[in-house]
Amino acid sequence: MHYTLILSPKGQYLLKLIENANKLVPYMVLKQTLKIGNVASMINAVVKIGLAKMSVASVTNWIGLTQKQDEGMNLMQTIISTVLNWDIKELESRAAKLERERAQLGKDQLRILKEYTHKPQSEQDRIRKHSQTRSISIVTAILRDSRTESELTDIHHRKALEYLAIHLSIRDRKQLIQCLCKATPDHLTVSVREVIDAYEPVIRRMHKAVDLSATLSDFEYFLKDLIKLSKIHTDKQTGKSIVPTVGDFVQLLRKHQRASHVFLHQCCKNDKELTGWYLDWAKQAAEQFKQEEETNPNSQQQHDTARGGAGAAGKLTQPLQQLFVSLDQETQSRILPVLDSHSAFLDEMHAQSTARLAEVLKSPPSKNPAIAKIFATSNGNGNGNGKSSSRPNTPRPPSSRAPSPPPGQNDTDDINDNDNDNDNDNSENSSPIPTVSSSPGPGAFLARWQSLLDATPITPVTQTGPPKAASSPEVVQASATDVDGRKLVDFDTTTTDTNTSTTADTDTVDVNVDVQIGLGPREQQKQLKLVIDALGSSFRKLLAERGCYW
């Protein structure tokens, strides 16, 4: 959560999408529906609320007059399309403003840039490759490919890049709406229905064992606290940026851990068979990672297994060894140093992640008053609304339900939350831009994911020049903007972690610091390509065979 919402340049924009979608979810209707005693009626009602489509074709299909594909959008698709359409309107407004400016580009140039967003993928890849090989910007490559005037001033080139980025963003959102909400056949609705049908036995037993309505309330309160905590803003009195740390997210989970404990306790107490299903599944999954031990406790293989070496792949260790042996001697000698180097890289990365995890678990509560206010009720209540929990201290039997809150209590909370949101929205434009300076938390796989993102080539800001790295400061700063062009946060690129070293050239990456989150090992990826080319197809076939249970 900290990595996605705080450290990521698009984190605050993603948080805005989550908040907008959360406001459109009818929690009250869902909670009342989950209180239906008959489990079949409850499942049917929830499915109708989320997946039923209201259109003429849907009504005629329900009557039996027609058997066409249901038209329109259901509630889930309506929420998705509404949130994305809000962004599309903001982006179209920015594009229209650029077209009306005095220092605007020519109409033909604007038309060509707009048409590029609708070209086939092969054409776009060809133009992007031309931009990288010739060391020119993507705008210059597009204009040259269309045999249009490509000599632009710096101001016009910067406006052209912004115009192209806006229309690419518009196209992405329209394609998401088309695929998720307007596609025929409706794969999203069918997929959700199939998931519900697959888990129907589990849902039936959980309905008898757990108060699902109270569970949804706990999730709603957790999501509200998560949104409040993740908002980065500037303190009006001190002028300092209020940035939550990894420890603050740990405190958030500790605040709401009682709700998960009650849920698990009710499952284990009221339905032994349901608990047995997941217990058997957990044991079967753990067996796949079981490491075979030698009879000699001092053997070298057992020592390597303990440190993540031979045998650390569990039941896949022997098949992986056979894949390596099947290669010719020349290929083995070529990829063996790469495998050893990557193994040492993974060991160091996991060691750093474990060390950061130990520090996070010991982290004290935040001293910032704005953040500490969110945790003020963590000791007395299990939920996040600051009131007494709707659940008693002991789990309720399956037949009992949570008492209803006093009339108007939840409505008052919603009104207060909306007032606070409106006050924040009105002061966003006047308040200074907050600065993000936070250390990464634990997560070895997050470091590898960030490395892939940082290795992405980005078009240069100038008309000529090599592609920029996605980890370069100017790219990171430019990514932290909202759809209306307003800068959400300012990333402090001067501060580094204790284990991170920086270089004078931000576009180059030191291989020795590849472990750190935010540094892309491009050279290491080139070396690993040798391993992928040699073992990639065989490894995919092995996973397909071992992952097939039918």
Side-chain angles (χ1 to χ4, degrees):
M1 293 184 291
H2 177 264
Y3 168 83
T4 304
L5 301 177
I6 305 300
L7 295 184
S8 174
K10 289 294 184 181
Q12 293 301 296
Y13 168 71
L14 177 61
L15 181 65
K16 190 192 75 170
L17 292 182
I18 296 174
E19 184 179 12
N20 291 338
N22 184 59
K23 291 179 180 178
L24 299 177
V25 177
Y27 284 106
M28 183 59 65
V29 177
L30 292 174
K31 285 186 284 189
Q32 294 299 324
T33 306
L34 291 174
K35 292 181 179 180
I36 298 176
N38 186 278
V39 62
S41 301
M42 185 273 294
I43 296 176
N44 188 31
V46 172
V47 170
K48 285 185 177 180
I49 291 174
L51 303 181
K53 296 183 178 182
M54 297 303 297
S55 62
V56 177
S58 301
V59 175
T60 55
N61 290 342
W62 179 72
I63 296 175
L65 299 178
T66 60
Q67 295 181 352
K68 299 179 181 179
Q69 183 76 21
D70 288 345
E71 299 175 353
M73 293 184 292
N74 52 42
L75 176 62
M76 178 178 57
Q77 294 171 332
T78 301
I79 293 175
I80 296 174
S81 62
T82 301
V83 173
L84 293 180
N85 276 319
W86 287 343
D87 288 350
I88 291 176
K89 290 181 180 179
E90 293 286 349
L91 292 169
E92 290 177 344
S93 176
R94 287 179 59 194
K97 183 179 179 181
L98 288 175
E99 294 173 355
R100 294 193 303 266
E101 287 184 353
R102 292 184 178 180
Q104 65 177 355
L105 298 170
K107 292 184 178 180
D108 292 338
Q109 294 172 331
L110 293 176
R111 176 182 55 81
I112 291 171
L113 293 176
K114 189 174 182 180
E115 289 177 352
Y116 168 80
T117 61
H118 300 284
K119 287 186 176 182
Q121 186 67 38
S122 58
E123 288 293 319
Q124 294 187 7
D125 292 340
R126 180 181 60 82
I127 296 176
R128 280 198 293 266
K129 185 177 181 180
H130 179 73
S131 171
Q132 296 182 29
T133 55
R134 299 294 181 87
S135 295
I136 56 178
S137 69
I138 187 65
V139 169
T140 305
I142 294 172
L143 296 179
R144 288 183 181 179
D145 185 74
S146 301
R147 294 179 175 82
T148 309
E149 178 61 33
S150 59
E151 296 297 331
L152 305 175
T153 63
D154 293 340
I155 297 178
H156 284 168
H157 183 264
R158 186 170 63 254
K159 295 294 183 181
L161 281 175
E162 183 181 359
Y163 187 80
L164 177 62
I166 290 173
H167 278 284
L168 286 174
S169 300
I170 293 175
R171 181 188 178 277
D172 291 342
R173 286 159 178 79
K174 288 184 177 180
Q175 289 298 319
L176 286 174
I177 295 175
Q178 181 65 33
C179 295
L180 298 178
C181 307
K182 299 181 180 180
T184 303
D186 189 355
H187 296 292
L188 179 62
T189 302
V190 173
S191 300
V192 175
R193 289 184 183 274
E194 290 180 353
V195 170
I196 294 176
D197 293 340
Y199 282 90
E200 184 175 354
V202 178
I203 297 174
R204 286 179 176 272
R205 291 189 169 275
M206 287 179 59
H207 180 264
K208 296 179 181 179
V210 184
D211 186 356
L212 296 179
S213 178
T215 302
L216 182 60
S217 298
D218 292 332
F219 175 76
E220 180 186 5
Y221 295 138
F222 168 75
L223 200 56
K224 286 183 177 180
D225 281 351
L226 175 63
I227 294 173
K228 291 179 182 178
L229 175 63
S230 303
K231 286 184 177 180
I232 302 175
H233 56 278
T234 305
D235 193 349
K236 297 180 180 179
Q237 297 179 355
T238 61
K240 296 182 179 180
S241 300
I242 302 176
V243 182
T245 62
V246 182
D248 293 328
F249 283 90
V250 173
Q251 295 298 325
L252 176 67
L253 296 177
R254 287 176 177 172
K255 173 183 177 180
H256 292 273
Q257 67 180 351
R258 181 182 180 276
S260 62
H261 292 169
V262 171
F263 175 81
L264 295 175
H265 178 75
Q266 288 182 344
C267 287
C268 297
K269 179 182 178 181
N270 299 326
D271 198 323
K272 303 294 184 181
E273 185 175 357
L274 177 62
T275 307
W277 290 353
Y278 282 93
L279 185 60
D280 294 339
W281 170 81
K283 291 180 178 179
Q284 184 179 3
E287 288 179 357
Q288 306 301 320
F289 299 94
K290 184 178 180 180
Q291 300 173 358
E292 299 179 358
E293 298 182 358
E294 293 288 331
T295 56
N296 183 10
N298 297 324
S299 64
Q300 180 64 27
Q301 182 175 357
Q302 186 173 0
H303 174 71
D304 294 339
T305 301
R307 63 179 295 272
K315 290 188 175 181
L316 286 179
T317 302
Q318 191 65 25
L320 290 176
Q321 293 286 353
Q322 294 177 357
L323 290 181
F324 180 78
V325 173
S326 63
L327 300 175
D328 57 89
Q329 193 67 27
E330 181 182 357
T331 305
Q332 291 182 9
S333 60
R334 188 169 66 252
I335 69 173
L336 187 59
V338 179
L339 293 174
D340 293 338
S341 175
H342 190 64
S343 178
F345 162 74
L346 293 179
D347 290 342
E348 184 180 358
M349 184 170 58
H350 284 283
Q352 292 186 11
S353 177
T354 304
R356 289 195 296 264
L357 177 60
E359 295 178 359
V360 166
L361 294 178
K362 299 178 182 178
S363 60
S366 178
K367 297 181 180 179
N368 191 292
I371 297 179
K373 184 179 179 181
I374 302 176
F375 308 134
T377 59
S378 60
N379 294 330
N381 303 323
N383 53 21
N385 61 346
K387 304 179 182 63
S388 59
S389 175
S390 61
R391 299 185 178 192
N393 293 330
T394 57
R396 291 185 300 276
S399 59
S400 63
R401 297 297 176 191
S404 301
Q409 187 178 41
N410 290 337
D411 297 338
T412 305
D413 294 339
D414 294 337
I415 294 175
N416 293 334
D417 291 340
N418 293 333
D419 292 340
N420 294 333
D421 293 339
N422 293 333
D423 294 339
N424 294 333
D425 294 338
N426 294 332
S427 61
E428 277 181 351
N429 296 329
S430 59
S431 60
I433 300 175
T435 301
V436 175
S437 177
S438 181
S439 300
F445 293 101
L446 289 181
R448 302 180 67 183
W449 171 251
Q450 185 64 47
S451 299
L452 294 176
L453 295 179
D454 292 342
T456 305
I458 305 297
T459 184
V461 180
T462 57
Q463 298 187 54
T464 59
K468 290 286 185 180
S471 57
S472 58
E474 54 267 27
V475 175
V476 173
Q477 300 291 2
S479 301
T481 55
D482 202 353
V483 289
D484 57 358
R486 178 174 52 87
K487 197 168 186 179
L488 296 175
V489 292
D490 187 11
F491 281 86
D492 187 3
T493 57
T494 60
T495 59
T496 58
D497 194 13
T498 56
N499 297 326
T500 306
S501 61
T502 57
T503 57
D505 187 3
T506 56
D507 293 338
T508 61
V509 178
D510 187 1
V511 181
N512 296 326
V513 293
D514 285 340
V515 180
Q516 301 302 325
I517 293 180
L519 298 176
R522 286 184 288 273
E523 295 185 6
Q524 189 179 32
Q525 290 180 6
K526 295 179 181 178
Q527 296 177 354
L528 294 178
K529 191 176 184 300
L530 300 175
V531 182
I532 297 175
D533 294 339
L535 298 172
S537 59
S538 302
F539 181 68
R540 295 188 188 96
K541 183 178 179 181
L542 174 63
L543 291 181
E545 293 175 352
R546 292 302 183 96
C548 183
Y549 289 96
W550 58 85

